[in-house]
């Protein structure tokens, strides 16, 4: 798609003088206490404290390994780069006062909800930490822990501390995503008055700031935790823990990150989609007013939801994805190195940290490759924003391939198998290719430039029912190609690992599982850039809402509409990417769970026989868990949306002057409704996810005790995890793709196709989009977080099932 010269040059004419209805929306701003404290410190003193802190971190890393020093250095440099992006974005102007007022209202709503939601999550995290502490104080210990003198109390404290740190870092990652979004949206809106390219660049760099911080925090958090435990426990000293057993102490970190990410995704998803559905059904369908029209009482709640659901939740989500993948790969690397008697196993253990350090570098290059303008003297239309983003992604992938090859040669070269590093480099290439193919497949099924979405839009011309039927069938069909890609990737990576030449004492190949771990690392080797594209979406969406509410000229809205449509596609593609990485990461965590059970049971635990009735029942319960969780998540959106619809209808009836701009809507009432309801509704599905595997494992452990099958509880939980992973992947693919396709089918019609806005086709497409909203932004994203959380909770709670 090309944009005209008027959009690019910024010849948009004067602002429209129309009555404003959004005055005095802003309440008292909120900033978390740690940030308020930092803001009060003198700049030079703060810089000195940062330098001292970084110096202490580097010192601990130097006592651990030169590799840790390298990782920490890259992360610190990347954080300084993120500060450059932060200052560059905030240096842009916020536009006219009417834009600033709307932006302030969105900011306050998002920050207020974040404070309440994360206050609730923190209380639940503390209760769960106490539960973990009590379990670990009375659990059995592994032979490795007994030989190293790591007692139950120390093990319990380490796991709880790691859990709380993971939860804290995940919460900070979510806050950073929301914080930058609510400040960048108005700057994108203002830039759209001048140049479409400038607006694109601001949105990308704002998303890049959040992405670099999130990935950098995930890597540096695990590196610091690893180095601290290494020094504190005197690892590899005589009579102490071996370095190959150290990664198991980090499992709590991944569990804490998963816990926060699940509730953040659930609460944020319910918030954003309930507000969106309520605003669309009454505003667009019943009243016939445009999306984000200032007369719609639910529009501020909708815009706030984009930040808490798509930015805060996605930041916590990707943080958790990276943390889980790094920890599981470190565990498998340590296990394999121990089996193969590799003299220096640190390369295999720390390889994931090095890969993601290079991820920060290559993604930064991709972000910087996107320029705002070309030669100002050349009056040429702008490229399709999606093509611009894909060029940056291609740049990041190119450098990722080079960096991955160099990393494998550096870290995985061993005299026991001199050519193994090349096989693992090919495993990484498999993962990188898988990520690229996943992005392309999701784009094909959700971008209105391609046939599937256009066919769905055409189905809207014959009514609401045919639109729903076409959308459901498209979502079901879209599961086929991703599953084939995942299957090929797992088998290819496993085979490459098996043929790497690494063998155990008996001569059996042992590199297969680590090969799949390396493929997962390859898939996530550009995670920072992928998160940048994801954050781009809600920022562009908010920018469009601000332009509409401040009643800017139509030509400005056309620019933000194009960016918004591209943002819908990038959000869908990154969700597909997240599902693919979740599938591979869950496979790794499942393998780590098997190793953990074997360690605690002092025996072999390599297979799970689903022909055993109890084990098969465990698999059924796992599949049921996915469907029940999805149902509760979608129904939560539906119930909350009903409250919003009733409130918006009430205001239109009781305040007829709203439609003529003579009365001001009560935006705050809708914000309060969705904020309260989302916090209430997120508890039940979240509790289901946490309690189910624990209850199933304990019940079948008791049954196994009385029937003479001591490992029955562990086997049933393994089946639950396997079946839940398979069902969850398919369900998440269906929900995400169907929802994204419905959304862009509506956008396609709004471009003027099939009758354009206000036509019968458009009304049917709005209905489809409404149905798809809880699919793509609540249940779907929550499912891939659920899959990984089930894997981490079973790994942490493994001793309970024995």
């Amino acid at each position: 798609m090309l944009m005209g010269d008027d959009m690019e040059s910024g010849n948009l004419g004067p602002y429209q003088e129309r009555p404003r209805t959004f005055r005095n929306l802003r309440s008292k701003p909120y900033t978390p206490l740690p940030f308020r404290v930092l803001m009060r410190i003198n700049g030079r003193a703060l810089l000195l404290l940062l330098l001292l802190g970084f110096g202490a971190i580097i010192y601990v890393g130097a006592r651990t390994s030169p590799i840790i020093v390298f990782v920490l250095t890259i992360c610190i440099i990347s954080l300084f780069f993120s500060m450059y992006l932060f200052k560059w974005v905030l240096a842009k102007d916020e536009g006219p006062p009417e834009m600033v007022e709307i932006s302030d209202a969105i900011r306050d709503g998002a920050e207020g909800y974040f404070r309440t939601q994360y206050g609730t999550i923190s209380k639940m995290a503390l209760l769960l930490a106490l539960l973990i502490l009590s379990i670990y104080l009375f659990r059995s210990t592994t032979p490795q822990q007994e030989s190293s003198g790591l007692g139950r109390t120390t093990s319990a404290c380490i796991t709880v501390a790691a859990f709380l740190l993971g939860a804290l870092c995940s919460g900070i990652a979510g806050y950073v995503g929301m914080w930058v979004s609510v400040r960048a949206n108005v700057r994108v809106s203002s830039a759209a008055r001048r140049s479409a390219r400038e607006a694109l660049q601001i949105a990308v760099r704002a998303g890049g700031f959040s992405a670099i911080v999130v990935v950098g925090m995930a890597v540096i958090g695990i590196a610091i935790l690893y180095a601290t435990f290494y020094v504190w426990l005197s690892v590899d000293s005589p009579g102490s823990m071996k370095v190959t057993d150290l990664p198991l102490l980090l499992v709590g970190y991944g569990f804490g990150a998963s816990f926060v990410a699940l509730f953040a995704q659930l609460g944020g998803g319910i918030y954003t989609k309930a507000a969106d559905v309520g605003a669309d059904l009454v505003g667009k369908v019943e009243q016939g007013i445009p999306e984000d029209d200032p007369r719609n009482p639910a529009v501020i709640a909708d815009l706030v939801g984009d930040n808490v659901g798509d930015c805060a939740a996605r930041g916590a989500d990707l943080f958790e994805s990276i943390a889980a993948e790094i920890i599981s790969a470190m565990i498998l690397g340590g296990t394999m190195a121990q089996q193969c008697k590799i003299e220096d196993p640190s390369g295999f253990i720390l390889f994931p940290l090095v890969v993601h350090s290079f991820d920060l570098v290559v993604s930064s290059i991709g972000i910087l490759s996107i320029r705002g303008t070309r030669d100002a003297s050349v009056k040429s239309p702008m490229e399709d924003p999606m093509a611009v983003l894909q060029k940056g992604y291609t740049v990041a992938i190119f450098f990722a391939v080079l960096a991955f090859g160099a990393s494998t040669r550096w870290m995985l070269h061993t005299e026991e198998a001199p050519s193994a590093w090349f096989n693992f480099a090919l495993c990484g290439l498999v993962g990188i290719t898988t990520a690229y193919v996943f992005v392309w497949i999701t784009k094909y099924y959700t971008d209105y430039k391609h046939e599937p979405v256009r066919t769905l839009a055409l189905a809207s011309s014959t009514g609401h029912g045919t639109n729903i039927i076409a959308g459901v069938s498209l979502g079901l069909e879209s599961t086929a190609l991703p599953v084939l890609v995942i299957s090929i990737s797992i088998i290819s990576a496993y085979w490459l690992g098996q043929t790497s030449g690494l063998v155990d004492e008996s001569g059996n190949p042992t590199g297969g599982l680590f090969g799949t771990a390396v493929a997962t690392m390859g898939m996530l080797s550009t995670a920072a850039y992928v998160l940048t594209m994801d954050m781009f979406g809600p920022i562009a969406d908010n920018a469009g809402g601000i332009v509409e509410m401040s009643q800017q000229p139509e030509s400005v809205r056309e620019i933000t509409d194009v960016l918004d449509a591209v943002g819908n596609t990038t959000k869908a593609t990154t969700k597909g990417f997240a599902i693919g990485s979740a599938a591979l990461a869950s496979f790794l965590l499942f393998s780590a769970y098997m190793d953990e059970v074997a360690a605690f049971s002092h025996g072999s635990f390599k297979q799970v026989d689903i022909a055993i009735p109890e084990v098969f029942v465990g698999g059924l319960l796992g599949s049921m868990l996915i469907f029940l969780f999805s149902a509760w998540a979608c129904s939560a959106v539906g119930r909350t949306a009903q409250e919003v619809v009733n409130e918006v209808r009430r205001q239109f009836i009781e305040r007829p002057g709203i439609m003529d701009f003579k009365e001001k809507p009560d935006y705050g009432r809708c914000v309060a409704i969705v904020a309260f309801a989302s916090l209430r509704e997120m508890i039940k599905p979240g509790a289901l996810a946490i309690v189910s595997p624990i209850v199933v494992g304990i019940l079948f452990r008791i049954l196994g005790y009385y029937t003479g099958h001591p490992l029955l509880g562990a086997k049933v939980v393994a089946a639950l995890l396997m079946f839940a992973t398979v069902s969850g992947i398919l369900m998440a693919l269906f929900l995400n793709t169907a929802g994204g396709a419905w959304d862009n089918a509506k956008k396609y019609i709004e471009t003027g196709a099939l009758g354009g806005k206000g036509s019968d086709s458009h009304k049917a497409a709005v209905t489809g989009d409404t149905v798809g909203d809880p699919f793509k932004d609540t249940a779907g994203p929550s499912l891939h977080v659920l899959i990984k959380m089930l894997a981490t909770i079973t790994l942490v709670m493994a001793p309970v099932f024995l």
Side-chain angles (χ1 to χ4, degrees):
M1 181 182 298
L2 299 178
M3 294 185 181
D5 293 341
D6 58 335
M7 294 188 194
E8 184 54 36
S9 62
N11 297 323
L12 304 174
Y15 299 133
Q16 298 179 14
E17 292 297 333
R18 292 167 62 181
R20 308 295 182 186
T21 62
F22 38 80
R23 297 287 182 185
N24 302 321
L25 292 178
R26 193 172 191 192
S27 58
K28 184 179 179 180
Y30 166 72
T31 304
L33 178 61
F35 291 90
R36 292 202 300 269
V37 173
L38 290 175
M39 290 170 63
R40 291 173 183 172
I41 300 176
N42 179 270
R44 292 183 179 179
L46 182 60
L47 179 61
L48 180 60
L49 289 174
L50 287 175
L51 291 176
L52 290 174
F54 290 146
I57 291 171
I58 294 296
Y59 172 75
V60 174
R63 294 187 59 187
T64 307
S65 166
I67 300 171
I68 290 290
V69 174
F70 171 80
V71 170
L72 293 174
T73 302
I74 293 294
C75 289
I76 291 171
I77 293 173
S78 297
L79 292 177
F80 278 110
F81 171 71
S82 70
M83 294 303 296
Y84 160 74
L85 294 178
F86 158 76
K87 293 185 69 175
W88 186 92
V89 171
L90 292 191
K92 300 295 181 179
D93 71 284
E94 294 181 305
E98 56 266 26
M99 283 186 174
V100 177
E101 291 169 13
I102 299 166
S103 174
D104 287 346
I106 297 169
R107 181 187 309 175
D108 292 338
E111 290 178 344
Y113 175 74
F114 184 92
R115 173 178 52 185
T116 307
Q117 182 193 35
Y118 276 74
T120 303
I121 294 174
S122 62
K123 294 173 185 175
M124 295 189 293
L126 289 174
L127 290 176
L128 187 56
L130 291 175
L131 175 63
I132 295 172
L133 180 65
S134 61
I135 290 173
Y136 269 64
L137 286 175
F138 297 100
R139 73 169 192 169
S140 59
T141 55
T142 66
Q144 293 85 351
Q145 291 173 339
E146 292 173 359
S147 63
S148 64
L150 187 64
R152 293 178 180 175
T153 302
T154 305
S155 177
C157 292
I158 285 174
T159 303
V160 170
F163 170 81
L164 292 175
L165 181 62
L168 175 65
C169 291
S170 183
I172 293 174
Y175 181 75
V176 168
M178 180 273 297
W179 190 92
V180 69
S181 174
V182 297
R183 286 159 177 79
N185 51 18
V186 69
R187 289 168 169 83
V188 175
S189 301
S190 177
R193 296 158 43 237
R194 298 185 296 271
S195 166
R197 293 193 186 112
E198 183 185 353
L200 171 66
Q201 189 184 25
I202 293 174
V204 169
R205 291 199 170 188
F209 162 75
S210 177
I212 295 296
V213 170
V214 168
V215 177
M217 280 182 52
V219 177
I220 201 171
I222 294 176
I224 292 174
L225 207 60
Y226 177 92
T228 302
F229 290 161
Y230 187 97
V231 174
W232 177 35
L233 301 174
S234 302
V235 173
D236 274 347
S237 299
S240 299
M241 173 179 285
K242 294 182 180 179
V243 70
T244 51
D245 298 321
L246 181 57
L248 285 171
L249 300 180
L250 306 177
V251 172
Y253 186 87
F255 182 30
S258 299
F259 176 82
V260 172
L262 179 67
F263 282 98
Q265 189 66 71
L266 270 173
I270 293 168
Y271 188 113
T272 182
K273 290 302 105 181
D276 194 4
V277 169
D280 282 356
L281 285 180
V282 182
K284 296 174 73 173
V285 176
E286 296 181 6
Q287 299 295 329
I289 58 179
E291 185 175 359
D292 300 325
D293 191 289
R295 293 169 290 182
N296 193 326
V299 70
I300 289 290
D302 183 12
L303 296 174
V304 170
D306 291 333
N307 297 285
V308 299
D310 290 333
C311 290
R314 197 76 72 248
D317 178 3
L318 195 66
F319 177 92
E320 178 267 341
S321 295
I322 295 171
E325 179 264 329
I326 290 176
I327 293 170
S328 58
M330 291 175 76
I331 292 172
L332 293 177
T335 301
M336 187 191 69
Q338 189 174 29
Q339 292 172 347
C340 298
K341 302 297 181 182
I342 294 175
E343 184 177 350
D344 183 11
S346 60
F348 290 86
I349 296 172
L350 300 178
F351 178 61
L353 293 174
V354 172
V355 169
H356 284 290
S357 298
F358 280 119
D359 168 20
L360 293 168
V361 176
V362 301
S363 296
S364 298
I365 295 172
I367 292 167
L368 291 176
S369 69
I370 297 177
R371 298 292 181 180
T373 57
R374 292 174 296 205
D375 186 356
S377 64
V378 179
K379 292 294 183 179
S380 58
M382 179 187 176
E383 278 186 278
D384 172 17
M386 190 67 202
V388 176
L389 293 174
Q390 285 182 320
K391 285 180 180 177
Y393 186 43
T394 303
V395 170
I397 283 183
F398 172 77
F399 285 104
V401 171
L402 298 179
F404 207 96
S407 300
T408 51
R409 180 63 180 82
W410 173 30
M411 302 292 292
L412 304 183
H413 182 268
T414 175
E415 295 300 328
E416 286 82 355
S419 62
W421 72 270
F422 184 72
N423 281 48
F424 290 127
L426 293 178
C427 291
L429 186 60
V430 167
I432 293 172
T433 304
T434 300
Y436 190 84
V437 172
F438 248 86
V439 169
W440 183 87
I441 290 173
T442 312
K443 179 176 177 295
Y444 173 74
Y445 278 108
T446 57
D447 194 334
Y448 62 61
K449 297 173 187 173
H450 302 293
E451 190 63 27
V453 173
R454 296 198 175 203
T455 302
L456 175 58
L458 184 61
S460 304
S461 62
T462 53
H464 300 251
T466 50
N467 172 279
I468 300 302
I469 293 171
V472 170
S473 61
L474 185 150
L476 293 172
E477 178 190 322
S478 69
T479 61
L481 286 177
V483 168
L484 291 175
V485 172
I486 292 174
S487 303
I488 294 172
S489 300
I490 291 176
I491 293 174
S492 301
Y494 190 88
W495 179 82
L496 286 168
Q498 284 290 87
T499 58
S500 64
L502 291 169
V503 295
D504 60 15
E505 292 179 311
S506 303
N508 299 317
T510 59
L513 283 176
F514 189 68
T516 59
V518 174
T520 308
M521 289 180 246
M523 190 169 186
L524 288 169
S525 61
T526 55
Y529 189 86
V530 172
L531 181 58
T532 297
M533 292 197 297
D534 188 83
M535 293 288 186
F536 168 88
I539 291 172
D541 192 357
N542 259 210
I546 292 173
V547 167
E548 181 71 45
M549 286 199 72
S550 60
Q551 302 163 13
Q552 299 300 309
E554 184 63 26
S555 51
V556 182
R557 179 67 190 189
E558 288 176 8
I559 292 176
T560 54
D561 278 346
V562 172
L563 296 179
D564 184 17
V566 171
N568 286 334
T569 302
T570 59
K571 286 191 292 184
T573 55
T574 48
K575 287 170 189 171
F577 172 89
I579 294 169
S581 63
L584 294 177
S586 297
F587 179 70
L588 301 183
L589 289 167
F590 176 76
S591 302
Y593 168 76
M594 302 281 279
D595 290 340
E596 181 87 339
V597 172
F600 278 101
S601 62
H602 310 289
S604 176
F605 191 74
K606 296 182 178 180
Q607 296 178 348
V608 178
D609 187 359
I610 63 172
I612 300 173
E614 293 88 348
V615 176
F616 183 72
V617 168
L620 284 178
L621 292 174
S623 298
M624 177 273 291
L625 172 63
I626 296 300
F627 282 82
L628 184 59
F629 178 89
S630 302
W632 284 359
C634 290
S635 63
V637 174
R639 285 191 297 270
T640 307
Q642 289 175 17
E643 297 182 42
V644 177
V645 167
N646 290 332
E647 173 61 24
V648 175
R649 285 175 175 170
R650 181 192 67 80
Q651 291 198 35
F652 278 128
I653 292 172
E654 296 180 2
R655 302 183 180 187
I658 289 176
M659 292 300 293
D660 299 324
F661 293 93
K662 295 178 180 177
E663 292 186 77
K664 183 176 74 172
D666 185 357
Y667 301 112
R669 177 60 184 160
C670 290
V671 171
I673 288 173
V674 291
F676 175 78
S678 60
L679 292 174
R680 179 190 66 221
E681 297 285 356
M682 76 177 184
I683 302 297
K684 188 168 74 170
L688 174 72
I690 295 171
V691 172
S692 295
I694 299 176
V695 171
V696 169
I698 292 175
L699 288 178
F700 280 95
R701 174 193 175 180
I702 296 172
L703 180 62
Y705 175 79
Y706 287 105
T707 58
H709 296 86
L711 293 181
L712 184 62
K715 291 179 179 178
V716 170
V717 170
L720 181 148
L721 183 56
M722 283 192 297
F723 279 66
T725 299
V726 172
S727 302
I729 291 167
L730 293 172
M731 179 68 81
L733 285 169
F734 161 68
L735 294 174
N736 280 331
T737 309
W742 267 316
D743 193 349
N744 271 346
K746 179 196 70 176
K747 295 289 184 185
Y748 176 61
I749 293 175
E750 288 176 349
T751 63
L754 302 172
K757 292 183 181 180
S759 64
D760 290 339
S761 297
H762 184 237
K763 292 179 179 179
V766 170
T767 299
D769 180 35
T770 302
V771 173
D773 276 340
F775 284 19
K776 67 183 175 67
D777 286 325
T778 307
S782 299
L783 274 178
H784 71 256
V785 180
L786 170 66
I787 293 168
K788 289 173 289 185
M789 201 197 76
L790 288 175
T792 54
I793 195 173
T794 53
L795 190 56
V796 170
M797 299 293 181
V800 180
F801 311 140
L802 301 174

